[in-house]
Amino acid sequence: MTPQHEVVIIGAGFGGMGAAIQLKELGIEDLLILDRENDLGGTWHVNRYPGLAVDIASVTYSYSFEPNPYWSRVFAPGAELKKYAEHVADKYDLRRHMRFDTVVHGARWDQDAQHWIIGVGGGEVITARYLLSATGFLSQPNLPDIAGIGSFAGTILHSADWEETTDLTGRKVAIIGTGATGVQLIPQLARKAETLTVFQRTPIWVVPKVDFAIPAAVQTLFARVPAAQRAARSAYTTLLEAIMVTAVLHYRQAGFLNKIATAAARTHLFAQVRDRSLRAKLVPEYSFGCKRPTFSNTYYPTFNQDHVHLETTPIARIEPGAIVTSDGVRTEIDTLVLATGFNIWDTNFPALEMIGREGRDLGKWWRENRFQAYQGLSVPYFPNYLTLASPYAYSGMSYFDTIESQMKHLRRLFGELRRNGAKTFEVTEQANTEFLDQVTGRLGDSVFYRGNCASSRSYYFNQHGEAALLRPTPTRTAYREQNTFPIDAYTYGRLN
Ligand code: NAP
């Protein structure tokens, strides 16, 4: 009845690596990290589209315990993140735990054996005492179900499946999607394409991006005086917190901050686009913050170029060589770029079939009840399981704050298992319900419920209209709560 591994982690991105670092620090070496891709890095391995960069300043978008003084820009390009992931894997000796090209289909809790049975591609079965899924929030690409898309005869590129050798020079390109990815991609596509048509269904709020190359002297300072980089990190987190957390989560009390952010985005647009009718098309109707706002200095000016056209008439169908809008206009194209994002609520929560105690199916249960997870990590009826990409888990700020606060939770939970000699844990229904009440109560003041989000089509909202993605607490509170949750939020057991 002894499982093959003490811990299996699904996902070799920053979330899975953070969890592995924490468990190794606790002395757990028998851990296996599975990933469906052929290398580590998660999002930063998969996404390779031109213009890819972080949209949270790099000084913050990294593990606080593993600062990188050598980011080349305030917002580092994606390739540097991939390199950083490799550095972390080497330094913390994670590679030997990793197994790639391994698709996990699902997992089932074996109550008799008190371990997880994990089904992977090729019919193989792996068993583990503890299972952690770190499959990320944005890992299941959304492919739009547009009539005729299958008949398109040209090149189709999804932002998360970019063919790097593709040269778009002289091509007639269309892009569908104006989210954070579209905002990064569109200026890059315009540089190469002969014509670029941007099909926008919902505009996005865009604010100026304070981005520049970090001088070598500053990099040296960060390398020699880590406290200087820590201070920069802390200052940026505070600023971001004011914009992203206070203006969004405390919309009722601090609506003026939201108004300032809206004014900044409107002024940015006004300064960069002189054509009044074009400007009108680019202004969202929904409140700032309903959808993740984005930063760019090059997005708006792209639409001033003669070979770039913004199309807001809905798409009716796609033909082998064209996109046809509902007014009957045909736009001939040879390349279709899909910046259509990811499916969180249908295919990502959870990203695999999870069957817990008494046959409970996590995906079904979440959909039939409310999306919920205690501290954004654990669910009743799922013993010895932590799901890192969960409802109410993501702080909305640097993803590393979410990862590191979850690492604190792991340390406390696995520390308690060791202290009392237990082998199983399961969150109590009471702790889970109290947490759900707490987060939904806090969200009552947020822009999601107090603002005008009806037209935003934001992935922050699930199919029931609940904004069940973000953890509505300041970063410091998230750390404190993950560090000090009541030990009796879980029940603990020894082996039968
Ligand atoms: P997204 O925000 O979900 O945007 C998807 C876009 O595709 C939206 O404009 C959406 O329009 C459009 N779309 C989807 N299906 C469509 C259809 N059938 N017809 C027409 N339009 C359709 O996805 P994303 O831009 O990939 O960004 C997702 C998240 O990734 C971001 O919020 C951010 O957190 C992250 N990201 C981060 C970075 C970074 O620098 N770190 C960069 C890129 C992305 P509607 O709005 O009308 O649905």
Side-chain angles (χ1 to χ4, degrees):
M1 287 301 210
T2 308
Q4 288 161 286
H5 298 280
E6 190 164 10
V7 180
V8 163
I9 298 174
I10 307 168
F14 284 120
M17 292 204 294
I21 290 169
Q22 182 61 76
L23 294 173
K24 281 167 72 82
E25 197 188 298
L26 290 168
I28 299 174
E29 284 291 333
D30 180 11
L31 59 89
L32 175 68
I33 305 171
L34 303 173
D35 200 294
R36 69 183 178 189
E37 303 299 332
N38 63 1
D39 200 1
L40 59 87
T43 287
W44 302 101
H45 172 63
V46 171
N47 284 276
R48 296 161 194 196
Y49 61 81
L52 175 70
V54 286
D55 61 359
I56 299 277
S58 296
V59 74
T60 309
Y61 197 87
S62 47
Y63 297 108
S64 62
F65 55 85
E66 190 53 43
N68 172 15
Y70 302 111
W71 298 118
S72 67
R73 301 190 66 80
V74 175
F75 294 89
E80 285 185 35
L81 268 295
K82 165 77 176 158
K83 233 174 109 189
Y84 174 70
E86 288 168 356
H87 159 77
V88 171
D90 289 334
K91 178 160 176 185
Y92 293 86
D93 190 23
L94 302 178
R95 279 187 200 268
R96 68 189 172 88
H97 300 283
M98 292 177 177
R99 188 175 135 184
F100 298 112
D101 296 312
T102 306
V103 178
V104 178
H105 296 301
R108 183 171 61 79
W109 174 251
D110 184 329
Q111 180 67 15
D112 295 330
Q114 303 271 289
H115 63 219
W116 283 97
I117 300 174
I118 302 148
V120 301
E124 188 190 353
V125 161
I126 297 171
T127 55
R129 183 72 67 208
Y130 306 102
L131 177 62
L132 275 64
S133 51
T135 45
F137 292 92
L138 304 166
S139 51
Q140 313 296 330
N142 171 42
L143 300 171
D145 187 18
I146 300 172
I149 193 166
S151 73
F152 185 65
T155 310
I156 298 191
L157 293 159
H158 190 283
S159 60
D161 189 18
W162 199 264
E163 186 47 69
E164 284 168 291
T165 53
T166 310
D167 181 8
L168 297 176
T169 307
R171 295 223 198 165
K172 292 183 172 60
V173 179
I175 177 168
I176 301 175
T178 51
T181 302
V183 167
Q184 291 185 336
L185 250 173
I186 287 163
Q188 298 295 323
L189 300 179
R191 290 174 56 188
K192 295 275 177 83
E194 183 185 308
T195 59
L196 174 66
T197 308
V198 177
F199 287 85
Q200 171 191 276
R201 189 163 65 181
T202 310
I204 187 160
W205 288 113
V206 182
V207 290
K209 186 171 185 177
V210 183
D211 187 22
F212 48 83
I214 298 181
V218 174
Q219 295 183 16
T220 308
L221 173 73
F222 284 170
R224 294 206 181 134
V225 189
Q229 196 174 17
R230 279 201 298 278
R233 183 183 183 111
S234 170
Y236 184 74
T237 302
T238 306
L239 174 72
L240 210 58
E241 195 119 354
I243 302 170
M244 307 265 258
V245 176
T246 313
V248 171
L249 297 180
H250 299 291
Y251 180 78
R252 190 169 69 87
Q253 300 85 347
F256 69 95
L257 278 177
N258 204 290
K259 286 201 176 83
I260 292 172
T262 308
R266 279 183 175 274
T267 309
H268 190 44
L269 174 61
F270 184 78
Q272 295 195 309
V273 177
R274 305 310 309 147
D275 180 328
R276 187 186 287 240
S277 66
L278 178 57
R279 242 180 8 236
K281 289 182 186 174
L282 289 165
V283 178
E285 286 173 6
Y286 56 86
S287 308
F288 186 93
C290 293
K291 191 173 199 162
R292 190 183 167 95
T294 188
F295 306 84
S296 176
N297 303 327
T298 52
Y299 178 67
Y300 287 143
T302 303
F303 295 100
N304 295 329
Q305 299 174 51
D306 289 340
H307 70 300
V308 179
H309 173 64
L310 176 65
E311 183 56 71
T312 55
T313 311
I315 297 171
R317 64 179 185 279
I318 296 179
E319 294 179 350
I323 295 187
V324 184
T325 40
S326 62
D327 53 7
V329 172
R330 280 180 96 249
T331 302
E332 291 198 3
I333 57 164
D334 52 38
T335 304
L336 175 58
V337 174
L338 301 175
T340 45
F342 302 86
N343 190 332
I344 294 185
W345 299 102
D346 297 319
T347 55
N348 203 54
F349 279 164
L352 50 141
E353 188 183 62
M354 288 296 309
I355 308 294
R357 210 159 47 73
E358 297 181 22
R360 181 173 285 186
D361 179 325
L362 182 56
K364 195 162 173 278
W365 186 73
W366 268 344
R367 275 158 195 80
E368 287 175 358
N369 297 275
R370 299 173 76 182
F371 284 87
Q372 53 198 285
Y374 176 65
Q375 298 290 344
L377 272 167
S378 50
V379 188
Y381 282 75
F382 290 83
N384 290 12
Y385 175 56
L386 296 172
T387 162
L388 275 60
S390 282
Y392 303 110
Y394 174 40
S395 76
M397 307 262 295
S398 167
Y399 191 38
F400 284 85
D401 285 322
T402 300
I403 293 169
E404 287 191 44
S405 64
Q406 291 187 327
M407 287 168 70
K408 305 261 180 246
H409 192 109
L410 257 71
R411 190 176 62 186
R412 186 163 168 78
L413 178 58
F414 280 82
E416 176 61 14
L417 285 171
R418 173 175 298 173
R419 198 189 59 76
N420 73 17
K423 288 286 181 197
T424 63
F425 65 81
E426 183 180 327
V427 68
T428 65
E429 301 250 24
Q430 190 188 342
N432 178 58
T433 303
E434 281 174 10
F435 181 76
L436 180 62
D437 289 347
Q438 198 187 79
V439 286
T440 46
R442 283 178 186 160
L443 278 164
D445 288 342
S446 72
V447 71
F448 306 128
Y449 298 110
R450 298 270 173 170
N452 168 22
C453 289
S455 65
S456 67
R457 288 178 175 270
S458 167
Y459 67 82
Y460 289 170
F461 292 86
N462 65 22
Q463 49 277 75
H464 309 303
E466 287 184 307
L469 185 69
L470 299 190
R471 182 189 179 106
T473 56
T475 312
R476 270 168 220 265
T477 311
Y479 275 105
R480 195 189 63 241
E481 290 180 353
Q482 299 286 33
N483 226 347
T484 60
F485 67 84
I487 285 298
D488 64 3
Y490 289 90
T491 55
Y492 304 88
R494 291 163 200 276
L495 294 182
N496 299 331

